[in-house]
Amino acid sequence: MTAIQITRAADVLPEEEVAALQPTIDAIDRLKRERNAIVAAHNYMTPDIYHLAADITGDSLALAYLALETEAEVIVLAGVHFMAETAKLIAPEKTVLIPDLEAGCSLADGITGADIRRLREQYPGVPVVSYVNTSADVKAESDITCTSSNAVAVVESLGVNRVIFTPDQFLGSWVASQTDVDVILWEGSCMVHDKFTGQEIRDYKAQSGSLPVIAHPESPPDVLAEADYVGSTHGMISWVTRNQPEKVMMITECSMADNVAEATPNTTYVRPCNLCPHMKRITLDKIRRSLETMTYQVEIPEQVAERARLAVTRMLEVGRQD
Ligand code: 13P
Ligand code: SF4
């Protein structure tokens, strides 16, 4: 374990815990060197993974760009399956590993490629924008993908007055509120963010006094109506770093506040957070095992990958908006 890793973890993990994790971290570091591998971790990973094992951390879009840019031969995706699939679409020549095959996403599981084909029949000629939180099959049937950090820019990049947006209805309705483009919604939602309610946020505000609220756009509209800033996990981190509030209410998955606390020591987080059980399947031990055994390798049938890659590449050309 390097001095930098230890310093990063110092504010969020007790010294004894870091010492106990040392053999696992040392094994991961050694395996990364032997395999020419990197660990790419989503912002929702637990602080031990985020601070001690990750070579890069970020939101879905940052992890996609990383796949495009890294020189490593192996990417261990500490996140959920659709993120690993996206990395494999972008970098088919690399080995992409997901440490637990069951680390899925209930939002992504709520729509299939056949659903997209049916939507196209229902709305002939209307382009389909699919959130990156979808399977490769769904991406293959879509015109373009987006993430929460570029959804409005992606929709507007098409130059049309109507789009079909799948599968997250709340992200879709937030996009609709930010653009003149007419958005046809699919009724999916994220089991982590759809639990928040506007009333809950108002109750927190009543207890904590006036404080800024930042929220992920997968949250319901009555929650977003209470927010001073709406953005991706990356966007929320940037907002806090830029504004350095004394206190902020962050509405998203629970690990986020733990992870950004180290970079924003002057800010206290009020967090009506929910845990993502899918993200939480990834552990340090599973990352070590993944590197030892080179499992589980993500593979996508070429006829699906070819079309899905087009939708993802179009998104990367639009870039980031937050
Ligand atoms: P971000 O792209 O904002 O990190 O979101 C990914 C996700 O799964 C949120 O639930
Ligand atoms: Fe899927 Fe929601 Fe978990 Fe993100 S937080 S991986 S959208 S279930």
Side-chain angles (χ1 to χ4, degrees):
M1 204 183 305
T2 64
I4 296 174
Q5 286 167 313
I6 294 170
T7 314
R8 284 190 61 188
D11 291 341
V12 274
L13 295 169
E15 212 177 300
E16 298 75 7
E17 204 175 310
V18 175
L21 295 173
Q22 175 125 20
T24 309
I25 299 301
D26 288 346
I28 290 173
D29 286 346
R30 177 179 48 78
L31 287 159
K32 284 197 285 198
R33 284 192 297 276
E34 285 171 14
R35 309 282 198 205
N36 188 12
I38 52 165
V39 173
H42 184 260
N43 292 326
Y44 290 165
M45 289 295 102
T46 47
D48 52 351
I49 296 174
Y50 189 89
H51 292 296
L52 297 174
D55 297 281
I56 175 159
T57 56
D59 66 358
S60 313
L61 191 60
L63 299 181
Y65 279 118
L66 158 90
L68 193 66
E69 287 155 10
T70 182
E71 284 175 9
E73 286 165 53
V74 178
I75 301 172
V76 181
L77 208 307
V80 289
H81 195 264
F82 74 79
M83 295 175 179
E85 244 182 11
T86 304
K88 184 68 182 175
L89 288 172
I90 294 169
E93 74 293 352
K94 295 190 191 297
T95 301
V96 178
L97 303 175
I98 177 102
D100 184 331
L101 262 186
E102 305 279 301
C105 166
S106 39
L107 173 61
D109 289 344
I111 189 162
T112 63
D115 290 325
I116 304 284
R117 289 195 294 277
R118 273 193 291 276
L119 282 167
R120 284 195 188 278
E121 279 168 26
Q122 211 178 331
Y123 301 100
V126 181
V128 177
V129 178
S130 287
Y131 196 23
V132 77
N133 302 32
T134 45
S135 65
D137 277 343
V138 168
K139 291 181 175 79
E141 300 293 341
S142 305
D143 293 279
I144 189 166
T145 61
C146 71
T147 75
S148 52
S149 72
N150 63 10
V152 176
V154 163
V155 164
E156 292 188 338
S157 76
L158 297 173
V160 294
N161 52 23
R162 200 147 87 122
V163 299
I164 297 167
F165 191 96
T166 80
D168 191 289
Q169 58 181 310
F170 298 142
L171 175 61
S173 61
W174 180 73
V175 169
S177 74
Q178 306 294 307
T179 174
D180 291 334
V181 179
D182 184 20
V183 180
I184 299 162
L185 300 172
W186 174 265
E187 285 193 7
S189 63
C190 157
M191 61 180 288
V192 173
H193 291 88
D194 71 6
K195 288 199 192 90
F196 297 116
T197 65
Q199 190 55 51
E200 181 187 10
I201 310 309
R202 285 190 290 280
D203 290 346
Y204 266 96
K205 279 183 176 175
Q207 278 168 23
S208 312
S210 129
L211 83 175
V213 176
I214 60 178
H216 196 278
E218 288 171 14
S219 310
D222 63 335
V223 171
L224 299 183
E226 300 293 331
D228 299 277
Y229 172 78
V230 176
S232 70
T233 57
H234 163 89
M236 285 191 277
I237 295 172
S238 304
W239 190 93
V240 178
T241 314
R242 242 185 359 259
N243 292 286
Q244 300 274 332
E246 221 173 280
K247 239 186 200 185
V248 66
M249 192 188 304
M250 184 181 264
I251 299 162
T252 190
E253 210 272 346
C254 298
S255 290
M256 267 284 288
D258 293 336
N259 292 339
V260 286
E262 182 262 338
T264 55
N266 302 324
T267 299
T268 303
Y269 292 88
V270 177
R271 38 177 152 168
C273 69
N274 295 319
L275 278 170
C276 173
H278 313 294
M279 292 275 183
K280 274 13 205 210
R281 293 190 80 95
I282 307 296
T283 62
L284 273 184
D285 281 334
K286 287 182 189 171
I287 292 173
R288 177 177 60 182
R289 200 170 60 226
S290 178
L291 279 161
E292 271 164 3
T293 58
M294 294 296 281
T295 54
Y296 298 92
Q297 299 195 17
V298 175
E299 297 297 346
I300 306 162
E302 196 40 41
Q303 65 280 23
V304 174
E306 209 178 306
R307 290 185 303 137
R309 189 172 299 124
L310 264 180
V312 173
T313 308
R314 284 190 192 120
M315 168 186 77
L316 295 182
E317 284 161 8
V318 173
R320 178 178 284 290
Q321 94 197 23
D322 68 9

